[in-house]
């Protein structure tokens, strides 16, 4: 129950995750207004980043240190990760101010981060990620011998600096993309279908929009579609991004929150980025697929699709089994406490 007419909307009762955006404050214009606000804020964000990069380039010549290509790559890595991480305040502003609902409704059906469940998903993510890493080197040497370069890391100092950037920024970058794609996008699509009893709520269109299918499809394939638009010939990476997105979007619906998606994204990105730096492939992290989903192993080759499918499949089965065993809530509470 709302305490006043100015209080933000509470969690809808008895709804799955993708329907939590359909609050008592929802109106037909809420979604287009939220999209417009997100686009405006994103535009100013990119203008600010472009200005910052320009200033760094002017002050430092070409990067933070004109005499070191490696240090310049570290600066580019930091800017790339930070630009994604800054989606967090934008999404939270859209949810809290434009959609006028509690930020917790973006996180799970319980209106908060379920820390115990997040820790469990993180532990489960270690096995499939380790499998992908272990399978990559022998498969790459067998199928595409030139895929793994032989150059070193560029020295202990460079490796340490890159690792500091990765450890500090990758978790925020991964969480930012999950609350945007599996959070905001899924809930905006899921909110479109009218409830039973509302005007048009009994129509076939409303029933389809209320189902998880459209929300999972939108949240799972949007990034892959954007990547394909900018890299039209890279079907293998696009397919891998779609597999990763659809798997995490389905788990978000199945487990009633973002914890499973965030756990896989963070663990995968930390491990894969570290390998890129260790093997002297830091420049590969600048690609959209790598920064966007942590897919540096075999990007642009059939190998990336094969490994991603196996990794996501193992993780999805494991998390779904654990969620059923632990009785993880899939819908919001039917009563207020």
């Amino acid at each position: 129950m709302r305490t006043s007419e100015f209080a933000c909307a509470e969690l809808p009762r008895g709804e799955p995750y993708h329907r939590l955006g359909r609050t008592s404050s929802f109106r037909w214009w809420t979604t287009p207004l939220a999209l417009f606000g997100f686009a405006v804020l994103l535009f100013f964000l990119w203008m600010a980043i472009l200005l910052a990069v320009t200033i760094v380039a002017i002050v430092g010549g070409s990067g933070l240190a004109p005499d070191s290509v490696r240090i310049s790559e570290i600066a580019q890595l930091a800017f790339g990760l930070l630009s994604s991480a800054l989606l967090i305040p934008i999404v939270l502003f859209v949810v809290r101010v434009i959609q006028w609902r509690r930020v917790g409704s973006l996180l799970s059906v319980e209106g908060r981060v379920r820390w115990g469940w997040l820790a469990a998903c993180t532990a489960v993510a270690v096995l499939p990620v380790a499998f992908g890493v272990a399978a990559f080197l022998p498969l790459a040497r067998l199928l595409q011998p030139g895929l793994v370069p032989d150059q070193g890391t560029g020295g202990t100092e460079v490796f340490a600096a890159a690792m500091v950037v990765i450890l500090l920024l990758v978790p925020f970058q991964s969480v930012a993309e999950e609350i945007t794609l599996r959070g905001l996008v899924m809930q905006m699509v899921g909110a479109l279908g009218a409830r039973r009893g509302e005007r048009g709520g009994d129509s076939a269109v409303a029933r389809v929009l209320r189902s998880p299918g459209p929300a999972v499809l939108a949240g799972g394939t949007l990034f892959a579609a954007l990547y394909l638009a900018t890299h039209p010939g890279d079907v293998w990476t696009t397919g891998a991004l779609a597999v990763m997105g659809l798997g995490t979007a389905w788990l978000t619906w199945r487990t009633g929150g973002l914890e499973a998606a965030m756990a896989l994204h963070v663990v995968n990105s930390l491990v894969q980025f570290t390998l890129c730096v260790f093997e002297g492939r830091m420049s590969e992290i600048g690609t959209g697929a790598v920064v966007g989903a942590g897919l540096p192993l075999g990007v642009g080759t059939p190998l990336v699709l094969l490994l991603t499918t196996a990794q996501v499949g193992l993780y999805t089965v494991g998390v779904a089994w654990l969620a059923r065993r632990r009785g993880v809530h899939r819908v919001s509470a039917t009563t207020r406490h």
Side-chain angles (χ1 to χ4, degrees):
M1 188 177 205
R2 297 171 66 183
T3 56
S4 77
E5 61 180 312
F6 299 106
C8 62
E10 300 287 347
L11 280 171
R13 303 181 186 184
E15 292 284 4
Y17 177 83
H18 70 288
R19 292 284 292 167
L20 297 184
R22 187 91 182 184
T23 66
S24 58
S25 298
F26 183 86
R27 301 294 183 269
W28 67 267
W29 41 261
T30 301
T31 297
L33 181 61
L35 286 172
F36 175 76
F38 180 84
V40 169
L41 292 172
L42 188 62
F43 171 79
F44 283 108
L45 167 65
W46 282 109
M47 289 299 100
I49 292 173
L50 181 60
L51 177 62
V53 171
T54 302
I55 292 173
V56 169
I58 293 173
V59 172
S62 59
L64 291 180
D67 297 329
S68 174
V69 175
R70 291 288 183 180
I71 299 301
S72 179
E73 289 178 351
I74 294 174
Q76 293 173 12
L77 170 63
F79 276 122
L81 294 174
L82 185 60
S83 63
S84 295
L86 289 176
L87 287 171
I88 293 176
I90 291 179
V91 172
L92 297 185
F93 179 87
V94 169
V95 170
R96 186 62 179 83
V97 177
I98 298 180
Q99 295 182 332
W100 203 244
R101 59 189 175 104
R102 296 190 181 280
V103 170
S105 63
L106 187 71
L107 303 174
S108 77
V109 293
E110 295 184 15
R112 60 182 178 84
V113 176
R114 298 168 293 184
W115 294 105
W117 177 236
L118 177 61
C121 291
T122 302
V124 174
V126 172
L127 178 61
V129 171
F131 166 80
V133 172
F136 171 67
L137 291 177
L139 285 175
R141 291 194 176 98
L142 177 65
L143 302 176
Q144 294 174 291
L147 187 60
V148 181
D150 295 325
Q151 62 262 36
T153 64
T156 303
E157 293 182 359
V158 172
F159 179 77
M163 287 307 303
V164 168
V165 170
I166 289 172
L167 292 174
L168 287 178
L169 295 183
V170 163
F172 292 101
Q173 169 260 338
S174 301
V175 169
E177 293 180 1
E178 291 307 321
I179 67 171
T180 302
L181 296 170
R182 261 61 74 179
L184 186 63
V185 171
M186 280 186 64
Q187 290 187 347
M188 283 199 297
V189 174
L192 295 177
R195 295 190 186 92
R196 294 182 181 87
E198 294 180 344
R199 182 179 179 182
D202 295 326
S203 67
V205 173
R207 289 196 297 270
V208 170
L209 290 175
R210 286 198 301 265
S211 70
V216 169
L217 188 63
T221 61
L222 179 58
F223 187 84
L226 293 174
Y227 181 83
L228 183 61
T230 55
H231 303 77
D234 193 355
V235 295
W236 300 113
T237 304
T238 300
L241 291 170
V243 169
M244 177 75 77
L246 289 170
T248 51
W250 183 85
L251 281 174
T252 298
W253 166 76
R254 172 63 181 80
T255 63
L258 291 172
E259 295 91 350
M262 291 191 297
L264 179 61
H265 200 148
V266 171
V267 172
N268 196 46
S269 293
L270 285 173
V271 172
Q272 309 291 28
F273 289 8
T274 300
L275 285 175
C276 265
V277 174
F278 183 76
E279 295 172 357
R281 299 184 290 128
M282 199 187 313
S283 59
E284 293 185 19
I285 303 179
T287 64
V290 175
V291 171
L295 299 174
L297 299 183
V299 165
T301 70
L303 192 57
V304 71
L305 180 57
L306 174 65
L307 291 176
T308 301
T309 301
Q311 183 184 87
V312 173
L314 284 172
Y315 183 70
T316 300
V317 171
V319 170
W321 174 84
L322 188 61
R324 183 169 58 251
R325 182 180 178 87
R326 294 180 55 151
V328 173
H329 292 164
R330 301 173 59 178
V331 298
S332 57
T334 56
T335 59
R336 300 287 180 220
H337 298 287

